[in-house]
Amino acid sequence: MDNVSIIAMVSIFTAGITMAIGSIGPALGEARALSQALNAIAQQPDEATTITRTLFVGIAMVESTGIYCFVVSMILIFANPFWNYVTRAGG
Amino acid sequence: MDNVSIIAMVSIFTAGITMAIGSIGPALGEARALSQALNAIAQQPDEATTITRTLFVGIAMVESTGIYCFVVSMILIFANPFWNYVTRAGG
Amino acid sequence: MDNVSIIAMVSIFTAGITMAIGSIGPALGEARALSQALNAIAQQPDEATTITRTLFVGIAMVESTGIYCFVVSMILIFANPFWNYVTRAGG
Amino acid sequence: MDNVSIIAMVSIFTAGITMAIGSIGPALGEARALSQALNAIAQQPDEATTITRTLFVGIAMVESTGIYCFVVSMILIFANPFWNYVTRAGG
Amino acid sequence: MDNVSIIAMVSIFTAGITMAIGSIGPALGEARALSQALNAIAQQPDEATTITRTLFVGIAMVESTGIYCFVVSMILIFANPFWNYVTRAGG
Amino acid sequence: MDNVSIIAMVSIFTAGITMAIGSIGPALGEARALSQALNAIAQQPDEATTITRTLFVGIAMVESTGIYCFVVSMILIFANPFWNYVTRAGG
Amino acid sequence: MDNVSIIAMVSIFTAGITMAIGSIGPALGEARALSQALNAIAQQPDEATTITRTLFVGIAMVESTGIYCFVVSMILIFANPFWNYVTRAGG
Amino acid sequence: MDNVSIIAMVSIFTAGITMAIGSIGPALGEARALSQALNAIAQQPDEATTITRTLFVGIAMVESTGIYCFVVSMILIFANPFWNYVTRAGG
Amino acid sequence: MDNVSIIAMVSIFTAGITMAIGSIGPALGEARALSQALNAIAQQPDEATTITRTLFVGIAMVESTGIYCFVVSMILIFANPFWNYVTRAGG
Amino acid sequence: MDNVSIIAMVSIFTAGITMAIGSIGPALGEARALSQALNAIAQQPDEATTITRTLFVGIAMVESTGIYCFVVSMILIFANPFWNYVTRAGG
Amino acid sequence: MDNVSIIAMVSIFTAGITMAIGSIGPALGEARALSQALNAIAQQPDEATTITRTLFVGIAMVESTGIYCFVVSMILIFANPFWNYVTRAGG
Amino acid sequence: MDNVSIIAMVSIFTAGITMAIGSIGPALGEARALSQALNAIAQQPDEATTITRTLFVGIAMVESTGIYCFVVSMILIFANPFWNYVTRAGG
Amino acid sequence: MDNVSIIAMVSIFTAGITMAIGSIGPALGEARALSQALNAIAQQPDEATTITRTLFVGIAMVESTGIYCFVVSMILIFANPFWNYVTRAGG
Amino acid sequence: MDNVSIIAMVSIFTAGITMAIGSIGPALGEARALSQALNAIAQQPDEATTITRTLFVGIAMVESTGIYCFVVSMILIFANPFWNYVTRAGG
């Protein structure tokens, strides 16, 4: 169990778990906002345009935290500085 | 327990658990939005078209976090750079 | 405890737990939407057709996250690339 | 503790726990839908036929996730490819 | 601690815990439906027959997930293929 | 710590914990149904007979999951096939 | 740490924890039903007799799951077949 | 760490934890019933006698599960058959 | 780490944790009843005497489970039969 | 790691954790009662005296469980019989 | 890892965790009471004086459990009798 | 891993975790009170001065528990008596 | 497992988990505020401008805590002073 | 695994986890207050100025606990006295 496999092991596990945990918040949050938007449209059909626009701008902000997790996850898999160091150093 | 089996073990476990945890948020979230949409249709049948359209666009955004997890899971099984490194290196 | 048994052990456990955890979200979610649909039908019997159609399209989307888990679970049991590698390599 | 007993041990445990966890979601979900259906019938006795039909179609879809778990559990006990490999290989 | 005792130990523990966890969902679910049925009867005594019939058909479906757990539990105690293998093989 | 004590240890622990966990669901479930029945009687005293009859038939079904746990628990203590095997085999 | 102390240790711990966990469900459940009964009496004083009778019959059924746990706990302390075996066998 | 200290250690810990966990259910349950009784008296002062009597009979039944835990706890400290065996046997 | 320190260690830890966990239930329970009593007095000032009396009798019963925990805790610190045995036996 | 440090270590940890856990119940409980009292005063300013008096008597009873924890914690730090034994015995 | 560092390690950790856990209850509790007080003032501005006075007396009592934790934490850091013993004894 | 690094390690971890856990209670609590204050202002704009004043005095008291945690955290990092002892003693 | 791989391992894991946990709060929080904003727009379409402005300023503040986590995560991956020290020191 | 890597490892992990946990409370809390503020503006548009001002002053106080966590996190990474000691001491 040399350095290479330790770094690889931790990188794989962290990449997966970061994405997994990081999807819970945005998914539930966006769904809540979406759910409320549908309710608001049903109550005020005339405001559907304003509501929909606010909804999608807001969801984009909520999605951003999920994107951060995806970015961290991708960095750990494909652009991991620690991995580059140990593989360049010969492991 | 050489490098190959460590990487494989962690990859398999992470791929599964990422998909498993990553399905909870979207599934509950989409169902919540769907549930509210059905309620909204029952209250405002005339707005069914607007509601349904907003619903499916929104669900697609919620589904995106689940898709991220599925993508990470597939990368870990079929395009794992760490696995490629150790199997190419001879394990 | 050679490589073969480690990979097999982790694959079996992950396949089971992925399916088990992955069934919670869809099951509760679909039931929530179904529950609301029954309520909506009771309130607006005239919209039963629209509600039922929206319900089953929506449930199909919720079910998709459960299907992802089932797919990952089956891949780990019957088309596991790591298992193929170690059994082909002689274990 | 050779390979045979490791594979058997993990298979037994996973088969049980998959079924156990996988029964929680469907059981609670179906009961929730059933509960709401009874409520809907009490409110709209005239729609009892539509409600009951939608209920049982929906419950069948919810049950499907429980069935997936049961299938995985049975595969692990009676058609386990990893078990077949190690017992055929002599353990 | 040879193979026989490992398999027996895991089988006993899994059989118990599967039944234990698997009883929570159905018990709470059936009780919820039953509870709602009593409420519905109190609101619509004239529909008592329809409600009761739907209740017991539905409870039978909820009970099915508990039965699956009981089946898995009994298979592990009395018809365990792994146990048969190791005891026939001489342990 | 030979085979006999391992099997005994696991059997004792599993028997207890199965019964303990298995009593939570039925106890809370039956109490919920009972609670609702009392409420229903207070609202519709004239339907007390129907309510009480439905209550006790339903509670019997809920109790069944608790009984399954008790059966598994008693089998593990008094009719444990694994225990019979190891004590007959000489431990 | 011979067989006698292992069996004793596990029996003591299991007896206690079984009773402890097994008291939560019945205690909360009975209290819920009792609480609702008091509410029902306050709403319908004329039905106090019916309510009280149904209450105590129902509580007896809820108590039964607590009794099962107490029985298992007492069996493990005072009539433990595994303990009898190891002490008769000389430990 | 001979047999005497193992048995003593487990007995002490189990006695404490049994009482601790066993006090949660009854305490919360009795308080819930008491709380509802006070509410019922405020709504129906004329029924205070009936309510109070039902309350204290019911609380006695809820308390019974706490008493079971106290009994098990006292048995483990002062009348522990396993302790008697090992101290009589010389440890 | 001889017998004396093992027994002492477990006794200290159990005494503390028993009291700590055992204080949660009664504290929350009594506060709930007290809270409801204040509400009842505000609704029915004329019944303040009956409410207050029922309150304090009831709180005394809830407190009893806390007292049991305190008693067990004190027994473990100051009248521990296992401690007396090992210190009298010379450790 | 002789006896003195084991006893000291466990005493310190238990004293802290007992007080920490033991402060949750009373703090939340007293605040709940206080919160309800403020509400009751706002609804019935004329009963402010009765409400305040009942409140502080009740809070004193709730506080008692916190005091028990503080007492146990202080005994473990400053009047610990086990500590006295091992330091008098020479460790 | 001699006695001095063990005692120091446990003291540091316990001091921190006691204060951390002990701040949750009072913070949430005081905020709840404060929140209700603001509501009460909005409903009955004329009673603002009585409400505010009762609020701050009550908060002082809730704060007391937090103070106990702070006291225990400070004793463990600055007036720890066990630390004094081992440092005076030479470690 | 000598004394210095043990003390440092525990101090660092405890300082962080104390602050982290200790920020949850006050943050949620203050936000709850703030939230209610905004609601109260909307209902009674004329009382905005009284409400705001009570709010900030109350928040200061809630904040105090967070401050205690920050103080403990800072003491552990910059004025740690145990650290001073071991570094003065030469580690 | 030299210093380099320890630091790398911990840095990778911490970077991922910090981002993952740190995305839950902001995602749920922003979605809650967004959800309420949509509701407010539906109730007061005339205030849509004020509401939207307050919403996005507020969300920016909520997002700030998520940004802090992202910053810490990036520092640990790309500007880690501990990593720089050990790699400069030769590992 | 010398002192340097231990201190570094613990500092990295604590810095991350402190920030991660410390972001949950403020994020949820600020969002709750913001959410209520939007509601209040919709109910009382005339008070928008007062509400917004109170909101941002209050959010600044809630944010303060998050800032404390960020400060502790930065101190541990960039101004860690324990790290300075061990690196100055030669590790």
Side-chain angles (χ1 to χ4, degrees), chain L residues 20-89:
Chain L
I21 297 179
S23 75
I24 295 174
L28 293 180
E30 291 170 24
R32 179 175 186 171
L34 175 56
S35 171
Q36 184 64 46
L38 296 169
N39 195 29
I41 290 171
Q43 284 176 347
Q44 286 277 7
D46 300 342
E47 294 297 317
T49 313
T50 311
I51 290 167
T52 311
R53 201 184 53 228
T54 308
L55 173 70
F56 287 113
V57 173
I59 277 185
M61 295 191 73
V62 176
E63 186 81 9
S64 72
T65 62
I67 300 288
Y68 292 165
C69 289
F70 191 61
V71 164
V72 169
S73 184
M74 286 299 106
I75 287 172
L76 292 181
I77 295 180
F78 293 116
N80 191 327
F82 304 104
W83 173 254
N84 294 341
Y85 181 88
V86 293
T87 55
R88 202 171 50 237

Side-chain angles (χ1 to χ4, degrees), chain I residues 5-71:
Chain I
S5 65
I6 291 175
I7 303 289
M9 184 179 74
V10 172
S11 298
I12 291 169
F13 182 72
T14 306
I17 212 72
T18 300
M19 193 62 246
I21 296 179
S23 75
I24 294 175
L28 292 180
E30 291 170 24
R32 180 174 184 173
L34 175 56
S35 171
Q36 185 63 46
L38 296 169
N39 195 29
I41 290 171
Q43 284 176 347
Q44 286 276 9
D46 299 342
E47 294 298 316
T49 313
T50 310
I51 291 167
T52 311
R53 200 184 53 227
T54 309
L55 174 69
F56 286 114
V57 174
I59 278 185
M61 295 192 74
V62 176
E63 185 81 8
S64 72
T65 63
I67 300 288
Y68 292 166
C69 289
F70 191 61
V71 164

Side-chain angles (χ1 to χ4, degrees), chain M residues 3 7 10 18 29 36 44 61 64, chain N residues 2 5 8-9 16 31 35 42 63:
Chain M
N3 283 354
I7 303 289
V10 171
T18 300
Q36 184 63 46
Q44 286 277 7
M61 296 191 73
S64 73
Chain N
D2 59 6
S5 64
M9 185 178 75
S35 170
E63 186 80 8

Side-chain angles (χ1 to χ4, degrees), chain F residues 6-76:
Chain F
I6 290 175
I7 303 290
M9 185 179 74
V10 172
S11 299
I12 291 169
F13 182 71
T14 307
I17 213 71
T18 300
M19 192 63 245
I21 296 179
S23 75
I24 294 174
L28 293 181
E30 292 171 24
R32 181 175 184 172
L34 175 57
S35 172
Q36 185 64 45
L38 295 170
N39 195 28
I41 290 173
Q43 285 175 347
Q44 286 277 10
D46 299 341
E47 293 298 315
T49 313
T50 309
I51 289 167
T52 311
R53 201 185 51 228
T54 308
L55 173 69
F56 286 114
V57 173
I59 278 185
M61 295 191 75
V62 176
E63 186 81 9
S64 72
T65 64
I67 300 288
Y68 292 165
C69 290
F70 190 60
V71 164
V72 169
S73 184
M74 286 299 106
I75 286 173
L76 292 180

Side-chain angles (χ1 to χ4, degrees), chain F residues 1-2 4-5 8-9 11-13 15-17 19-21 23-24 26-28 30-32 34-35 38-39 41-43 45 48 52 55-56 59 63 67 70 73-74 76-78 80 83 87, chain G residues 3 6-7 10-11 13-14 17-18 21-22 25-26 28-30 32-33 36-37 40 43-44 47 50-51 54-55 57-59 61-62 64-65 68-69 71-72 75-76 79-82 85-86:
Chain F
M1 195 157 150
D2 57 8
V4 165
S5 64
M9 185 179 74
S11 299
I12 291 169
F13 182 71
I17 213 71
M19 192 63 245
I21 296 179
S23 75
I24 294 174
L28 293 181
E30 292 171 24
R32 181 175 184 172
L34 175 57
S35 172
L38 295 170
N39 195 28
I41 290 173
Q43 285 175 347
T52 311
L55 173 69
F56 286 114
I59 278 185
E63 186 81 9
I67 300 288
F70 190 60
S73 184
M74 286 299 106
L76 292 180
I77 295 180
F78 293 116
N80 191 326
W83 173 255
T87 55
Chain G
N3 284 354
I6 290 175
I7 303 289
V10 172
S11 299
F13 182 71
T14 307
I17 213 71
T18 300
I21 296 179
L28 293 180
E30 292 171 24
R32 180 175 184 171
Q36 185 63 46
Q43 285 175 346
Q44 286 277 9
E47 294 297 316
T50 310
I51 290 166
T54 308
L55 173 70
V57 173
I59 278 185
M61 296 191 74
V62 177
S64 72
T65 63
Y68 292 166
C69 289
V71 164
V72 169
I75 286 173
L76 292 180
N80 192 327
F82 305 103
Y85 181 87
V86 294

Side-chain angles (χ1 to χ4, degrees), chain K residues 1-2 4-5 7-17 19-24 26-28 30-32 34-39 41-45 48 52 55-56 59-60 63 66-67 70 73-74 76-78 80 83 86-87 90-91, chain L residues 1 3 6-7 9-11 13-14 17-19 21-26 28-30 32-34 36-37 39-41 43-44 47 50-52 54-55 57-59 61-66 68-69 71-72 75-76 79-83 85-86:
Chain K
M1 194 154 147
D2 59 6
V4 166
S5 65
I7 303 289
M9 185 179 75
V10 172
S11 299
I12 291 169
F13 182 73
T14 306
I17 213 72
M19 193 61 246
I21 297 179
S23 76
I24 294 174
L28 293 180
E30 291 170 24
R32 179 176 187 170
L34 175 56
S35 171
Q36 184 63 46
L38 295 169
N39 195 29
I41 290 171
Q43 285 176 346
Q44 286 277 7
T52 311
L55 174 69
F56 286 113
I59 278 184
E63 186 80 10
I67 300 288
F70 191 60
S73 184
M74 286 299 107
L76 292 180
I77 295 180
F78 293 115
N80 192 327
W83 173 255
V86 294
T87 55
Chain L
M1 195 156 149
N3 283 354
I6 291 176
I7 303 289
M9 185 179 75
V10 172
S11 299
F13 182 72
T14 306
I17 212 72
T18 300
M19 194 61 246
I21 297 179
S23 75
I24 295 174
L28 293 180
E30 291 170 24
R32 179 175 186 171
L34 175 56
Q36 184 64 46
N39 195 29
I41 290 171
Q43 284 176 347
Q44 286 277 7
E47 294 297 317
T50 311
I51 290 167
T52 311
T54 308
L55 173 70
V57 173
I59 277 185
M61 295 191 73
V62 176
E63 186 81 9
S64 72
T65 62
Y68 292 165
C69 289
V71 164
V72 169
I75 287 172
L76 292 181
N80 191 327
F82 304 104
W83 173 254
Y85 181 88
V86 293

